[in-house]
Amino acid sequence: MEPRIGIFDSGLGGLTVFHEVAKSLQDWTLLYVGDTARVPYGTKSKETVTQYALEISRFLVAQQVQALVVACNTASAYALPALSETFEIPIIGVVEPGAQRALALTQNYKIGVIGTEGTVRSEAYPQALRALHPECEVLSQACPLFVPLVEEGWFEDPETEGIARRYLAPLQEAGVDTVILGCTHYPLLKGIIQRVMGLTIHLVDSAEEVARSLSEQLKGHALAQTATPPEHRFFVTDAPERFQRVGRQFLGGESLQKVEKITL
Ligand code: DGL
């Protein structure tokens, strides 16, 4: 059996994480689940998101993945402890790697976190940041309109920029020097966010950080030799055609060959 990593998200956005992990761990076959029937997670309760995350993880563990990546920030913020208690394989979320990277970059220890309502409400990022550096100041801002704007493909539109200015104003006023993009979709708005915040502000992309951290964790993991490049698989809980169509923009234009529909 080829070495496998399971990755999941509430829908399409986690493909940003898939893209980075596929680049960094080229010998691994990736199995991606997008819970497109139940997206969004960002507005749902901790109990509901945890139950969804457990169901998806059970599916992936049954496919014999050797590690699990929780690409969704909301699921990472709410469900990571329950997942780690339930499964024995390494499980990596996006919060811890993002927090570590932000602390490596900041100079004034004023850090902004942007994410879904659920991620902000969970306080997962401020807790992870303060656990590592108790004196840092953290300012969180939910940006719920960013997800639909990205799904619409409005990465560089004036409307998006206007909304970004409004959401990001409190972070600018607070003088943060680092902003964690705490949602799967936000790396696609990096250009606008950087422009609005200013070119000297550090942006932390969770997708890149997870790939880096996972490579570290799996370094030295004995891999079965495979002659052919890995054939990644994509599963969704609804509307595979939409996933295939919109998913391209999350993969830098690469197309998705086949998307399978599953029932959890
Ligand atoms: N994947 C979610 C996250 O990173 C964003 C979309 C949703 O609300 O489900 O928090």
Side-chain angles (χ1 to χ4, degrees):
M1 156 95 54
E2 80 282 359
R4 295 177 161 189
I5 297 171
I7 302 185
F8 74 87
D9 179 40
S10 53
L12 283 156
L15 289 173
T16 51
V17 177
F18 168 90
H19 194 49
E20 293 301 325
V21 173
K23 276 198 286 184
S24 309
L25 289 139
Q26 296 184 359
D27 296 323
W28 293 74
T29 299
L30 308 184
L31 274 62
Y32 181 95
V33 175
D35 195 4
T36 46
R38 303 187 290 198
V39 67
Y41 283 8
T43 48
K44 296 194 168 72
S45 69
K46 177 178 182 179
E47 291 68 32
T48 300
V49 172
T50 303
Q51 184 204 319
Y52 292 171
L54 284 166
E55 285 171 13
I56 299 171
S57 302
R58 261 182 227 118
F59 168 81
L60 286 167
V61 168
Q63 306 292 317
Q64 298 181 319
V65 298
Q66 283 138 275
L68 205 52
V69 178
V70 187
C72 177
N73 282 258
T74 313
S76 296
Y78 278 149
L80 213 56
L83 296 175
S84 302
E85 273 165 32
T86 311
F87 303 101
E88 277 169 14
I89 54 174
I91 302 182
I92 173 164
V94 284
V95 175
E96 193 70 36
Q100 277 169 3
R101 182 73 183 149
L103 286 169
L105 291 170
T106 186
Q107 278 166 350
N108 68 5
Y109 290 90
K110 291 184 183 176
I111 297 172
V113 177
I114 54 176
T116 64
E117 288 166 24
T119 298
V120 168
R121 202 179 322 119
S122 75
E123 295 265 312
Y125 275 105
Q127 281 164 13
L129 287 161
R130 288 197 196 106
L132 294 165
H133 191 96
E135 273 84 56
C136 70
E137 268 179 55
V138 187
L139 197 86
S140 304
Q141 174 69 48
C143 306
L145 293 173
F146 279 176
V147 168
L149 287 167
V150 168
E151 299 241 339
E152 206 58 37
W154 292 10
F155 308 141
E156 285 294 336
D157 292 58
E159 290 79 4
T160 309
E161 184 157 339
I163 290 166
R165 286 199 185 282
R166 194 155 167 182
Y167 279 145
L168 300 174
L171 303 189
Q172 283 177 304
E173 277 155 31
V176 303
D177 73 348
T178 303
V179 176
I180 299 178
L181 307 176
C183 175
T184 47
H185 289 58
Y186 299 178
L188 289 149
L189 298 179
K190 251 187 209 168
I192 276 186
I193 296 171
Q194 189 79 71
R195 259 201 320 279
V196 170
M197 287 303 298
L199 297 180
T200 56
I201 303 301
H202 303 290
L203 300 186
V204 176
D205 178 338
S206 335
E208 285 170 10
E209 295 322 315
V210 168
R212 207 192 311 254
S213 168
L214 191 66
S215 305
E216 273 305 304
Q217 281 196 33
L218 297 180
K219 211 188 275 168
H221 203 286
L223 295 180
Q225 288 301 313
T226 46
T228 48
E231 269 186 44
H232 305 312
R233 292 179 71 184
F234 300 93
F235 303 94
V236 292
T237 49
D238 199 11
E241 321 72 39
R242 179 175 194 274
F243 185 89
Q244 211 159 12
R245 182 167 40 83
V246 186
R248 286 186 68 154
Q249 60 201 27
F250 289 83
L251 294 176
E254 251 171 68
S255 58
L256 287 157
Q257 297 306 333
K258 194 169 125 206
V259 181
E260 300 165 63
K261 183 164 182 256
I262 52 164
T263 307
L264 293 167

